[in-house]
Amino acid sequence: MNASNAWLQFAIYIGALLLITKPLGLYLVRVLDARGRTWLDPVIGPVERLTYRVCGIDPEQEQGWKGYTVSLLLFSLVGMLFTYAILRLQDRLPLNPQGLAALTPHLAFNTAASFITNTNWQSYGGESTMSYFSQMVALALHNFTSAATGIAIAAALVRGIARHTAKTIGNFWVDVVRVSYYLLAPICLVFALVLVSQGMIQNFRPSTTAKTFEPYTIQVPKTDDKGNAVNGADGKPVMVDQKVDTQTIPQGPMASQIAIKMLGTNGGGYTNANAAHPFENPTPLSNFLQILSIFAIPSALTYYLGRTVNNQRHGWAVWGAMFAMFVAGVLVAWKAEADGNPIHQKLGVAAADGNMEGKEVRFGIFNSALFATITTDASCGAVNAMHDSFTPLGGLVPLFNIETGEVIFGGVGAGLYGMLIFVVLAVFIAGLMVGRTPEYLGKKIESYDVKLVVLVLIVLAGTVLGGTAWASISDWGLAGLNNAGPHGFSEILYAYSSSVGNNGSAFAGLTANEPHWDTTLALAMLIGRFLMIIPIMALAGNLAGKRLVPASVGTFQTEGLTFVLLLIGTVVLVGALTFLPALAIGPIVEHFLMRAGTLF
Amino acid sequence: LVPNPTLMTDIFFIALSLAFFAVSIAYIYFCDKVR
């Protein structure tokens, strides 16, 4: 692809994102208001009211922050146990034409934690591990509920900011029901059909076995009559040749899962190759729509913020800060991948476009760099290229995006509430600079608010760096690596960053499906989701109860270029100060070693 | 940590899930008390 074509695609993407932000934001205002009217009311209204009746929910009854948070935790706990049970009983449940076995306990635990936290980290290959029942009932269902939960939390925080002298911040059950029924389900219904029109599969057929055009030979471990590996005199497995002349082509209900996978910034692939698989991402249009859907709701939520706090310029300022960081990330990743690998170039084996290792040739350099940046700006984690094969600086971009807390548009809901944490911190820093009590939209930011913000940031940094350190000095941690040196370290750092950030993408050289990795990464996902949400909800409750103070000449304006720059500086500096030492011994040193002629 | 997929390992992971959410509920009260 030539550069002008890539720039044109980038411009179309930005234009389309801008175009949907306001209308979808206005729609969100109605959906996130328990009494809001939408054009879907005649169809969905009766189902919504029936749900409340059956579940015993009083939609008029709002909750304080503690009640809201306890509801959220109980909802997630039930979801986790439900998912664990399905995955452990998969072999006894229907819609399993391949006769796939039940998941091991540690993999079921990891996967349950992964999907209730909106992470979708996958220690397994979807098409060879999950039955259609598991894909639909355990995984796709949680793609909806975890996304709805994230949006509900963002709405609760925005209400906390917008209200004054209030004791409540909304009703968790109403928010989740309305987001699922009025927002996610209708859009996904249409989106799935569009994806089918592009060639994505949606069926219940068993996998297809096809004869390959070119048989080839691989080496596999020799096994005895009982299927056990045979070891030689040196204690290593004896390898034998095996001719491969057939291919198993996956089938199943893919489109229905991929629509919410992208719109809900979940990212868990139906297949192991994720959006690089021709069924899971069949055409350039499907690729464009998938990356547009990742940012659609997070972008619209900034408009919802502006409308709800009655300051649309503030909403656009937050959008502007996110947008500037997004563009910077795309340009760095694109440049790094287009420059390619100097060692390959010296050997004369480099592709003309740049670093094509681990990339789907249909998408090339630009669309791989764009997808990688978007999927890690948001907490999506779907991939159309293997991040592990990016150049060191190209791989640094997704890693750093995750380590900012995924606030560059971010996950559905999670991006906005994460960014609002940085907004409060930025306002606090600005207040310190001029020696005034900081204010945010008419509320004084006091020590308790800042303590809660710091609790959020400590959980992120402590869990990522603590988990990375533990795995880096453990036999089990090192055993999972596919690469030595700084690249191996990057694989570990990426795994914990991705888990705590609830992203789910990976430097896929890491083999993580073993008990230690599965368990520690699952705990990292749970901590990264719920122990960050709790102080955020406390902040929402505290802000809701504050009195408004009138603006004065000393009030720091939370709109305009100065605020945008301060916000970007806060996000980048907190990310840089926290993670730069780790990045220095991972991708940064790997970059310099690559320039000096060493690869890992 | 858990070498075999047995009933005991299932109980371990279910207990771990319950323990995490119990700690989370305790954390709500911690966040309330740090003011």
Side-chain angles (χ1 to χ4, degrees), chain A residues 422-560:
Chain A
F422 281 108
V423 168
V424 173
L425 188 61
V427 169
F428 173 68
I429 291 168
L432 287 181
M433 286 175 178
V434 296
R436 280 177 55 92
T437 303
E439 295 163 21
Y440 175 45
L441 298 174
K443 307 263 181 76
K444 283 190 187 299
I445 299 300
E446 294 159 307
S447 67
Y448 179 57
D449 305 303
V450 179
K451 281 180 195 169
L452 294 170
V453 167
V454 170
L455 281 177
V456 175
L457 298 174
I458 283 175
V459 166
L460 173 71
T463 316
V464 170
L465 296 176
T468 302
W470 186 15
S472 298
I473 57 166
S474 302
D475 290 341
W476 58 265
L478 300 175
L481 294 180
N482 198 35
N483 299 82
H487 195 76
F489 177 76
S490 296
E491 289 176 349
I492 297 177
L493 179 63
Y494 198 104
Y496 284 97
S497 301
S498 178
S499 297
V500 178
N502 296 157
N503 183 276
S505 65
F507 267 19
L510 182 74
T511 303
N513 187 17
E514 64 84 49
H516 301 81
W517 274 109
D518 274 339
T519 307
T520 59
L521 290 177
L523 290 172
M525 290 184 255
L526 292 168
I527 292 169
R529 177 75 161 182
F530 297 109
L531 298 193
M532 285 172 77
I533 282 173
I534 291 166
I536 289 170
M537 297 304 294
L539 181 67
N542 196 48
L543 289 173
K546 289 180 188 253
R547 293 179 191 283
L548 284 180
V549 290
S552 67
V553 285
T555 300
F556 181 67
Q557 297 298 312
T558 50
E559 59 234 32

Side-chain angles (χ1 to χ4, degrees), chain A residues 66 84 88 105 448 451 534, chain B residues 5 10 13 24 31-32 34-35:
Chain A
K66 288 183 207 162
Y84 184 86
R88 290 287 294 132
Y448 179 57
K451 281 180 195 169
I534 291 166
Chain B
D10 281 326
F13 281 116
S24 298
C31 286
D32 193 34
V34 293
R35 70 174 70 233

Side-chain angles (χ1 to χ4, degrees), chain A residues 285-432:
Chain A
L285 180 61
S286 73
N287 189 66
F288 180 84
L289 292 175
Q290 290 193 35
I291 52 177
L292 184 62
S293 64
I294 294 176
F295 272 0
I297 293 175
S299 179
L301 275 168
T302 63
Y303 195 89
Y304 164 77
L305 166 72
R307 183 53 71 107
T308 307
V309 301
N310 211 17
N311 185 342
Q312 205 61 63
R313 290 188 65 206
H314 176 58
W316 281 117
V318 171
W319 190 93
M322 293 173 167
F323 178 72
M325 289 186 282
F326 157 59
V327 172
V330 172
L331 296 183
V332 173
W334 183 13
K335 170 90 169 65
E337 294 310 294
D339 283 352
N341 184 325
I343 299 171
H344 290 177
Q345 288 156 359
K346 205 176 286 177
L347 292 170
V349 295
D353 285 355
N355 173 36
M356 281 299 290
E357 180 193 315
K359 292 187 177 61
E360 163 65 288
V361 289
R362 293 178 301 141
F363 302 129
I365 298 290
F366 171 71
N367 270 301
S368 300
L370 179 65
F371 200 117
T373 308
I374 290 171
T375 199
T376 50
D377 281 339
S379 65
C380 183
V383 294
N384 77 348
M386 297 304 116
H387 296 182
D388 200 21
S389 296
F390 275 33
T391 59
L393 291 187
L396 173 68
V397 172
L399 188 51
F400 188 72
N401 283 342
I402 296 171
E403 289 170 349
T404 61
E406 290 163 340
V407 295
I408 307 170
F409 293 105
V412 286
L416 183 63
Y417 64 67
M419 189 55 132
L420 290 174
I421 290 298
F422 281 108
V423 168
V424 173
L425 188 61
V427 169
F428 173 68
I429 291 168
L432 287 181

Side-chain angles (χ1 to χ4, degrees), chain A residues 230-245:
Chain A
V230 176
N231 289 337
D234 58 356
K236 292 181 179 170
V238 176
M239 305 301 282
V240 291
D241 286 349
Q242 184 179 73
K243 189 180 169 193
V244 178
D245 60 358

Side-chain angles (χ1 to χ4, degrees), chain A residues 86-98:
Chain A
I86 288 179
L87 299 178
R88 290 287 294 132
L89 299 170
Q90 174 175 272
D91 54 336
R92 301 174 203 188
L93 294 169
L95 293 175
N96 185 6
Q98 300 305 118

Side-chain angles (χ1 to χ4, degrees), chain A residues 101-376:
Chain A
L103 275 65
T104 57
H106 57 82
L107 181 57
F109 178 68
N110 180 283
T111 308
S114 177
F115 279 76
I116 63 150
T117 56
N118 199 257
T119 310
N120 292 26
W121 170 273
Q122 296 172 293
S123 289
Y124 61 88
E127 68 273 46
S128 56
T129 310
M130 294 291 172
S131 71
Y132 301 160
F133 189 85
S134 297
Q135 293 273 22
M136 295 174 81
V137 180
L139 307 187
L141 174 71
H142 283 94
N143 284 353
F144 280 94
T145 56
S146 66
T149 301
I151 296 170
I153 297 159
L157 179 58
V158 171
R159 286 185 201 118
I161 294 166
R163 293 177 181 180
H164 54 92
T165 57
K167 290 184 175 165
T168 60
I169 52 171
N171 182 314
F172 173 75
W173 307 108
V174 172
D175 286 339
V176 166
V177 166
R178 287 183 64 82
V179 168
S180 302
Y181 287 12
Y182 288 95
L183 181 71
L184 301 177
I187 296 177
C188 285
L189 184 66
V190 176
F191 190 21
L193 292 173
V194 172
L195 292 174
V196 168
S197 79
Q198 295 301 299
M200 194 175 288
I201 57 169
Q202 178 74 19
N203 60 52
F204 287 115
R205 281 189 227 123
S207 299
T208 306
T209 302
K211 272 265 192 250
T212 56
F213 282 112
E214 293 179 15
Y216 59 96
T217 303
I218 58 170
Q219 286 221 309
V220 295
K222 186 179 179 182
T223 54
D224 60 20
D225 296 342
K226 293 177 182 168
N228 300 318
V230 176
N231 289 337
D234 58 356
K236 292 181 179 170
V238 176
M239 305 301 282
V240 291
D241 286 349
Q242 184 179 73
K243 189 180 169 193
V244 178
D245 60 358
T246 59
Q247 180 185 5
T248 304
I249 300 171
Q251 300 288 341
M254 187 183 280
S256 55
Q257 186 162 334
I258 301 312
I260 185 62
K261 161 197 160 191
M262 308 309 284
L263 185 74
T265 62
N266 297 280
Y270 188 93
T271 59
N272 199 25
N274 210 297
H277 192 288
F279 283 174
E280 200 156 335
N281 198 357
T283 65
L285 180 61
S286 73
N287 189 66
F288 180 84
L289 292 175
Q290 290 193 35
I291 52 177
L292 184 62
S293 64
I294 294 176
F295 272 0
I297 293 175
S299 179
L301 275 168
T302 63
Y303 195 89
Y304 164 77
L305 166 72
R307 183 53 71 107
T308 307
V309 301
N310 211 17
N311 185 342
Q312 205 61 63
R313 290 188 65 206
H314 176 58
W316 281 117
V318 171
W319 190 93
M322 293 173 167
F323 178 72
M325 289 186 282
F326 157 59
V327 172
V330 172
L331 296 183
V332 173
W334 183 13
K335 170 90 169 65
E337 294 310 294
D339 283 352
N341 184 325
I343 299 171
H344 290 177
Q345 288 156 359
K346 205 176 286 177
L347 292 170
V349 295
D353 285 355
N355 173 36
M356 281 299 290
E357 180 193 315
K359 292 187 177 61
E360 163 65 288
V361 289
R362 293 178 301 141
F363 302 129
I365 298 290
F366 171 71
N367 270 301
S368 300
L370 179 65
F371 200 117
T373 308
I374 290 171
T375 199
T376 50

